[in-house]
Amino acid sequence: MRLSAAFAAAALLTLTAAVPAAAARSDDPVPDRGLFLTVSGSEDTWIRGLALFCPPAPDAHHPEAAAACAAIDEAAGDPDGLPGDPHLCSQEYDPVTATVTGKWDGHPMSWQKTFPNACVMDAATGPVFRF
């Protein structure tokens, strides 16, 4: 977990630095809705992450940014309350850990949860971690 925590911290600094740059490119004020999302495999054998700003910019890196923002809105910013996308999953145990760090509606957010496998994570979180 040390690697993912260090990676998340470094990415959060990058995310924080990107906000003023986004403000310079837009007439709209930068929303206080910037999150860094990560997904990592068992014992940090792999990790991926990206920044999600809501509302998403046209050049957003998240492939389902609008749907992810809508899901987080529906959950009132609580990752444990995400509506998800319920579907059947295998019972295979190949744990993945999802994290959220940043701000949502001006409130600091730090969340982490380990799921038995990627399918269970997808069923529980819907489009938020589909990247």
Side-chain angles (χ1 to χ4, degrees), residues 36-90:
F36 184 68
L37 310 173
T38 66
V39 178
S40 60
S42 179
E43 297 183 24
D44 295 328
T45 53
W46 56 268
I47 187 169
R48 63 181 181 259
L50 55 72
L52 174 67
F53 294 100
C54 298
D59 61 347
H61 294 286
H62 193 298
E64 296 186 37
C69 290
I72 297 168
D73 271 338
E74 186 175 332
D78 178 9
D80 286 318
L82 289 170
D85 179 16
H87 53 268
L88 295 176
C89 293
S90 71

Side-chain angles (χ1 to χ4, degrees), residues 76-115:
D78 178 9
D80 286 318
L82 289 170
D85 179 16
H87 53 268
L88 295 176
C89 293
S90 71
Q91 297 298 313
E92 167 191 20
Y93 187 71
D94 187 14
V96 295
T97 300
T99 66
V100 178
T101 308
K103 283 190 175 181
W104 193 259
D105 287 339
H107 302 291
M109 181 185 271
S110 181
W111 177 87
Q112 177 177 315
K113 187 167 185 176
T114 300
F115 298 89

